[in-house]
Amino acid sequence: MLNHPGDHPARSRCPVQGLVPILATPFYGDGTLDRVSLRGLTEFQLNSGAEGVAVFGMASEGFALTAAERRHILADVTDVVAGAVPVVAGVSPTSLTTALEQAEQAVLGGADALMVLPPYLAKPSPQQLVDFYGALGERTGSSIMVQDAAATTGVAMPVPLIAQLAALPGVDMVKVESPPTAAKTAAVVAAAPSGFDVLGGQNALFVLEELAAGAVGTMPACEFTDLLGGLLDAWRNGRAEEAHERFERLLPLIRFGMQPGLAWAVHKEVLMRRGIIASATVRLPAQDLPPSVRSDLDGVLRRLRLPAPAVRSPR
């Protein structure tokens, strides 16, 4: 159980760095949870060099999952990962109470860190955001990642506010998704306390610029982890020109997977075509791909010539 106000849980910080894909949630054709594909998808991430995996993010259709499904998903993913890399669980609450409920389930289920959106229906004030993240940091005992995604939530987080959140116990990192992301990354790195980590999102659209600005990692969708792994390896080893060439080759697919309303279906269509999951089924309000968009994706994938993925049989 989570701690009550005034209790101070023992805390062990969990660094989340490098390539940390947001897992899609596979469904069968009838819309029920496909746990076999989920385990295979998780294996694919590990085989592709992922340095962490995340569940219940926006790319996971986390908004469409029941509490029971979230338990099953976290159990399967943590079982396959078996401690090899951190598991980050998304928390997308409408209040502090619902945030604590989701956080408790995730912590009990074995998540190593929590990626937390701010409450987004009743828009919080800056002080309420400090109180919100402060309460989560105090009561969960988990590493908290602030998710700065104003386009999704309508909740703006200016750099001075993020720096204030970074000083809270347990609030260890931020995922910057409010453009211009590279400029904001640099500003947060300069303003936040030492040791507070910045990661990028936005499907790795500005990953190289974010890394150059001081980001310690990226959290994209999960269908091209093997290709991004090679890109990041080139960057880390001083082969910047190669990293940019790899990025430019991948950019059409990155861009294609950022279409509002269709992104979830794009991620799953690519995963299905690569043989990593069995079905591209999505749940309302996500949309199936219209025939014209599927045809456009055909061209993107044909030109990209995706390699066959390395996938072991799921355990």
Side-chain angles (χ1 to χ4, degrees), residues 255-307:
R255 180 181 63 88
F256 210 89
M258 296 185 69
Q259 299 178 77
L262 297 177
W264 300 287
V266 171
H267 303 322
K268 288 184 172 180
E269 185 75 17
V270 177
L271 288 166
M272 183 182 70
R273 293 193 193 191
R274 299 193 74 188
I276 299 168
I277 66 175
S279 169
T281 301
V282 295
R283 286 180 176 174
L284 191 147
Q287 307 169 36
D288 293 327
L289 293 183
S292 62
V293 176
R294 184 172 281 107
S295 177
D296 292 339
L297 180 58
D298 290 342
V300 170
L301 296 178
R302 183 176 63 254
R303 290 184 289 272
L304 184 55
R305 296 189 299 276
L306 286 173

Side-chain angles (χ1 to χ4, degrees), residues 44-190:
F44 167 68
Q45 308 308 314
L46 298 178
N47 295 343
S48 298
E51 295 158 273
V53 294
V55 294
F56 317 142
M58 284 299 296
S60 309
E61 292 175 84
F63 51 82
L65 300 174
T66 68
E69 287 169 337
R70 291 168 75 98
R71 282 193 294 272
H72 291 316
I73 290 165
L74 192 52
D76 286 337
V77 171
T78 54
D79 182 56
V80 172
V81 167
V85 298
V87 176
V88 181
V91 173
S92 50
T94 50
S95 69
L96 176 58
T97 301
T98 55
L100 290 169
E101 179 183 61
Q102 290 181 32
E104 177 177 20
Q105 185 186 67
V107 171
L108 291 176
D112 298 294
L114 303 174
M115 178 176 65
V116 185
L117 283 170
Y120 52 87
L121 288 181
K123 301 294 187 280
S125 68
Q127 184 56 52
Q128 286 177 317
L129 285 173
V130 173
D131 295 342
F132 172 81
Y133 284 105
L136 285 169
E138 179 183 21
R139 294 180 59 181
T140 64
S142 180
S143 287
I144 304 294
M145 177 190 298
V146 175
Q147 191 169 1
D148 169 34
T152 298
T153 63
V155 179
M157 295 189 187
V159 170
L161 174 60
I162 294 176
Q164 190 176 359
L165 299 178
L168 297 171
V171 180
D172 299 324
M173 47 199 153
V174 63
K175 181 183 180 188
V176 170
E177 298 189 275
S178 296
T181 56
K184 190 165 187 178
T185 293
V188 172
V189 169

Side-chain angles (χ1 to χ4, degrees), residues 168-238:
L168 297 171
V171 180
D172 299 324
M173 47 199 153
V174 63
K175 181 183 180 188
V176 170
E177 298 189 275
S178 296
T181 56
K184 190 165 187 178
T185 293
V188 172
V189 169
S194 176
F196 182 77
D197 289 336
V198 181
L199 294 96
Q202 291 283 294
N203 210 25
L205 182 61
F206 286 94
V207 58
L208 294 177
E209 292 83 358
E210 290 162 358
L211 292 172
V216 301
T218 187
M219 301 182 73
C222 65
E223 66 268 30
F224 45 73
T225 305
D226 47 350
L227 301 184
L228 273 178
L231 184 158
L232 290 181
D233 180 71
W235 177 265
R236 289 165 173 166
N237 287 284

